[in-house]
């Protein structure tokens, strides 16, 4: 039955696409550095698969089948370009890549890490690195990526095209850097992955499929890097951080879908298996040399996770960790979190004093958590009119309706009586 | 650059909840004012109050109702002045109506 065969072929192609897209792009682009051409060839190969597989059955090694067809398309395209522009030698590069891949005998080499390092290269605009990784490793289209990052699809498409041209024309290498280069370059890769995760994380209800997906894809990329670089403590630290956050996804909403802040979450609703995995990763990372930002942030989450046993976050530890993070990053976001920790260890006045010191920082002018933290501490300090104004700013800056409702309830309680 | 944020929502639902939603909307506008980007904006009465005029071959036609009879109708607008489209999109996402209906972001033709 052709309809059924078509269905099976489509399903098989989609499975390979999801599992192997990045692997195939990485292999196809490794020598030529031409990511756009590799993607075009691969998408042609998927189109061929949808014609060929229903008729002849799904091949035994679908990944290798796609690679062979995509290579042929790549060579055809390179020939056309060569005759058009008299260009150098992409054909030789492609056949080199072909031999290298065939030497693996069925098991395709994994060039994905090299592709990620190319996508997060310092020569590329930091804002395009995450989108580029999402596109080349996971096959997301420009519209989906643009939507997640609040950028119009056309703009995102142009940025991606420009970045790929830069990779090709500037000769950005497809390799994992060694020695002293590794740490700073890895930081850029991890930052790009974390940005993908954070985008998905900002949709706590998981109402938008693509956002929810991004958090999962971020974890998937984090697992990939941690498995390919198991001795890099920051790679483990980032995965630990993401798993801690992911473990709390469901606890951030109550039965009616209302927002529940971390301090009010029921630890029993955290995903225990994910927390355990996060803790194990962090302890593995701590035995390796080199403490960094992600381990410190994961340690903060770990200090919250102790609530599973003690019922209270370890605020003293959290304050110390934010001190260390602030010294390392100078980030105003870290400074806000540190102020919140100070309020727990030394009282709301100390927290407010720390927030006041940040009032002139332009980078916080549109940062909702700064105003929400301020409002909460002002309310605790009995400064109700000021708290009310801070809640107003926080409400105006929030885009998640559930969080907005939460802030409005706090603001209303403040107006209702002094017990707020 | 100036952008107009055109707010489209379920018209009957919007009109029915106008008062209770006012404080949230006010917080949003006040925040844009504080950010120094706000130019103007207003709420519109329901589409039931709309009248459409068209002149064809010199003859004026007046029709009771909005341009198109759809469930979601233009319910209000904000004009903001921000450096680029990305910034305008970020502010549009904060509009309370964006989570109920849709906010169209349009650059204003420069004078």
């Amino acid at each position: 039955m052709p309809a059924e065969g078509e269905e099976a072929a489509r399903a098989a192609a989609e499975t390979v696409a999801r599992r192997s897209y990045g692997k195939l792009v990485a292999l196809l682009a490794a020598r030529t550095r031409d990511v756009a051409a590799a993607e075009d060839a691969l998408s042609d190969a998927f189109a061929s698969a949808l014609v060929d597989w229903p008729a002849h059955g799904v091949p035994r090694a679908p990944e290798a089948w796609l690679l062979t067809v995509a290579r042929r398309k790549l060579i055809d395209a390179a020939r056309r370009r060569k005759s058009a522009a008299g260009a150098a030698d992409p054909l030789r590069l492609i056949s080199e890549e072909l031999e290298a891949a065939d030497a693996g005998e069925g098991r395709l080499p994994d060039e994905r890490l090299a592709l990620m390092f190319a996508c997060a290269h310092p020569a590329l605009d930091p804002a395009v690195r995450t989108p580029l990784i999402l596109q080349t490793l996971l096959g997301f289209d420009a519209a989906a990526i643009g939507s997640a990052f609040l950028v119009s699809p056309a703009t995102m498409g142009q940025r991606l095209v420009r970045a790929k041209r830069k990779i090709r024309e500037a000769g950005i290498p497809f390799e994992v850097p060694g020695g002293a280069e590794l740490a700073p370059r890895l930081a850029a890769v991890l930052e790009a992955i974390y940005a993908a995760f954070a985008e998905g994380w900002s949709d706590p209800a998981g109402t938008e499929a693509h956002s929810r997906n991004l958090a999962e894809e971020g974890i998937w990329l984090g697992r990939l890097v941690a498995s390919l670089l198991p001795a890099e403590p920051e790679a483990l630290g980032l995965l630990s951080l993401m798993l801690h956050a992911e473990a709390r996804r469901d606890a951030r909403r109550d039965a009616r879908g209302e927002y529940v802040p971390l301090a009010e979450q029921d630890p029993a609703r955290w995903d225990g298996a994910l927390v355990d995995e996060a803790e194990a990763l962090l302890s593995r990372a701590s035995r390796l040399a080199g403490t960094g930002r992600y381990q410190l942030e994961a340690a903060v989450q770990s200090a919250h996770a102790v609530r599973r046993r003690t019922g209270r976050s370890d605020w003293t530890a959290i304050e110390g960790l934010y001190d260390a993070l602030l010294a390392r990053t100078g980030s105003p976001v870290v400074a806000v979190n540190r102020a919140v920790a100070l309020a727990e260890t030394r009282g709301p006045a100390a927290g407010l004093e720390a927030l006041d010191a940040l009032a002139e920082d332009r980078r916080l002018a549109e940062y909702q958590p700064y105003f929400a933290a301020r409002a909460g501490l002002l309310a605790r300090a009995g400064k109700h009119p000021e708290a009310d104004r801070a809640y107003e700013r926080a409400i105006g800056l929030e885009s998640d309706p559930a969080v907005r409702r939460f802030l409005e309830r706090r603001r209303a309680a403040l107006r209702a009586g002094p017990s707020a | 650059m100036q952008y107009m944020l055109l707010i489209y929502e379920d018209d009957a639902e919007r009109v029915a909840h106008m008062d209770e939603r006012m404080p949230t909307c006010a917080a949003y506008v006040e925040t844009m004012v504080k950010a120094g980007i706000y130019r103007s904006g207003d709420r519109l009465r329901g589409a039931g109050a709309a009248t459409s005029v068209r002149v064809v071959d010199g003859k004026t036609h007046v029709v009771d109702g909005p341009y198109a009879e759809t469930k979601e109708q233009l319910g209000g607008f904000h004009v903001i002045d921000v450096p680029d489209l990305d910034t305008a999109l970020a502010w549009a996402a904060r509009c309370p109506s964006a989570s109920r209906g849709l906010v169209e972001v349009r650059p204003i033709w420069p004078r």
Side-chain angles (χ1 to χ4, degrees):
Chain A
M1 266 179 273
E4 214 168 278
E6 211 165 293
E7 189 79 355
R10 186 172 293 277
E14 271 171 16
T15 307
V16 183
R18 206 167 318 133
R19 207 186 45 225
S20 314
Y21 185 87
K23 213 169 162 185
L24 293 171
V25 169
L27 279 171
L28 290 163
R31 301 293 162 110
T32 62
R33 294 170 186 164
D34 193 337
V35 176
E39 285 174 327
D40 287 347
L42 188 56
S43 109
D44 283 354
F46 275 115
S48 301
L50 290 178
V51 176
D52 187 280
W53 296 2
H56 302 104
V58 177
R60 235 174 341 153
E63 220 175 49
W65 189 98
L66 286 163
L67 188 63
T68 306
V69 174
R71 263 191 209 129
R72 211 179 301 135
K73 308 261 184 200
L74 207 54
I75 289 169
D76 287 349
R79 277 210 185 100
R80 276 199 302 278
R81 260 203 315 280
K82 192 176 180 184
S83 55
D89 223 355
L91 287 174
R92 184 180 53 79
L93 294 173
I94 293 166
S95 50
E96 263 180 40
E97 171 267 315
L98 196 146
E99 281 162 25
D102 284 350
E105 256 312 299
R107 276 201 37 214
L108 302 176
D110 197 337
E111 303 274 7
R112 283 177 294 187
L113 202 52
L115 177 60
M116 271 194 257
F117 273 95
C119 290
H121 194 276
L124 296 171
D125 175 5
V128 82
R129 294 176 194 166
T130 301
L132 203 52
I133 286 179
L134 290 173
Q135 178 150 79
T136 60
L137 274 118
L138 300 166
F140 276 65
D141 66 21
I145 300 168
S147 178
F149 288 90
L150 275 179
V151 172
S152 76
T155 306
M156 184 53 79
Q158 284 164 9
R159 283 183 199 168
L160 288 164
V161 166
R162 227 179 297 135
K164 286 175 206 166
R165 195 188 307 137
K166 172 98 188 241
I167 289 180
R168 195 183 69 229
E169 290 177 354
I172 288 175
F174 278 58
E175 62 187 24
V176 178
E181 266 290 281
L182 179 61
R185 295 283 310 281
L186 178 61
V189 170
L190 298 179
E191 193 180 320
I193 293 172
Y194 190 45
F197 175 81
E199 242 355 281
W201 176 243
S202 64
D203 175 37
T207 43
E208 297 204 28
H210 67 80
S211 292
R212 165 111 210 207
N213 229 348
L214 274 193
E216 281 165 13
E217 302 294 1
I219 289 175
W220 187 88
L221 290 167
R223 284 191 192 282
L224 181 66
V225 174
S227 70
L228 295 172
L229 292 172
E232 285 304 317
E234 278 292 86
L236 305 181
L238 172 62
L239 183 55
S240 170
L241 172 62
M242 293 192 292
L243 293 178
H244 264 305
E246 187 65 16
R248 296 188 201 131
R249 175 180 290 280
D250 291 343
R252 291 189 298 166
R253 287 290 183 271
D254 68 13
R256 286 170 303 132
E258 293 300 325
Y259 171 73
V260 185
L262 175 56
E264 288 161 33
Q265 286 171 16
D266 175 4
R269 288 192 62 207
W270 296 343
D271 184 327
L274 284 182
V275 176
D276 291 343
E277 189 186 353
E279 295 282 67
L281 280 162
L282 188 58
S283 102
R284 247 176 70 202
S286 69
R287 288 194 294 274
L288 297 162
T291 306
R293 175 200 157 183
Y294 294 113
Q295 289 165 83
L296 290 170
E297 289 198 41
V300 170
Q301 301 315 316
S302 172
H304 283 299
V306 299
R307 266 170 59 193
R308 290 197 300 176
R309 294 193 310 274
T310 65
R312 186 175 155 78
S313 297
D314 184 349
W315 286 107
T316 309
I318 292 169
E319 186 194 323
L321 289 162
Y322 277 128
D323 280 342
L325 269 168
L326 189 61
R328 195 173 283 263
T329 65
S331 150
V333 169
V334 169
V336 171
N337 288 323
R338 179 178 163 272
V340 172
L342 279 177
E344 294 300 324
T345 53
R346 304 179 203 179
L352 272 175
E353 199 181 313
L355 285 180
D356 282 341
L358 301 169
E360 297 302 314
D361 194 324
R362 292 295 304 155
R363 291 170 296 179
L364 294 174
E366 289 177 20
Y367 186 61
Q368 183 273 110
Y370 167 75
F371 292 97
R374 224 183 135 67
L377 295 185
L378 285 165
R380 274 167 64 184
K383 299 179 175 172
H384 288 197
E386 287 172 85
D388 186 76
R389 282 198 296 278
Y391 272 126
E392 184 182 60
R393 277 297 267 288
I395 290 163
L397 288 170
E398 180 55 55
S399 57
D400 182 332
V403 176
R404 198 157 49 213
R405 284 195 299 273
F406 164 80
L407 292 167
E408 285 178 322
R409 282 197 299 277
R410 288 281 150 106
R411 188 185 185 197
L414 191 68
R415 291 174 162 189
S419 60
Chain B
M1 273 182 79
Q2 295 207 12
Y3 293 87
M4 182 177 273
L5 313 184
L6 297 113
I7 296 161
Y8 291 88
E9 274 187 80
D10 181 321
D11 201 57
E13 206 258 355
R14 178 182 71 89
V15 172
H17 295 93
M18 184 82 85
D19 287 345
E20 66 182 84
R21 286 175 184 166
M22 197 47 215
T24 313
C25 187
Y28 173 60
V29 171
E30 188 53 32
T31 301
M32 292 195 284
V33 170
K34 288 242 171 70
I37 60 158
Y38 200 67
R39 290 298 165 265
S40 65
D42 268 308
R43 295 175 291 170
L44 304 180
R45 287 199 183 274
T51 312
S52 302
V53 179
R54 194 195 294 272
V55 179
V56 182
D57 296 334
K59 192 170 179 310
T60 304
H61 299 263
V62 177
V63 182
D64 182 26
Y67 167 61
E69 292 284 358
T70 50
K71 196 168 122 200
E72 296 197 321
Q73 289 285 345
L74 183 65
F77 68 93
H78 302 293
V79 175
I80 59 174
D81 196 343
V82 292
D84 52 37
L85 177 64
D86 291 359
T87 315
L89 294 177
W91 281 105
R94 292 174 180 136
C95 178
S97 307
S99 51
R100 293 188 291 264
L102 170 153
V103 177
E104 181 180 324
V105 180
R106 283 253 210 134
I108 288 180
W109 202 288
R111 282 186 202 170

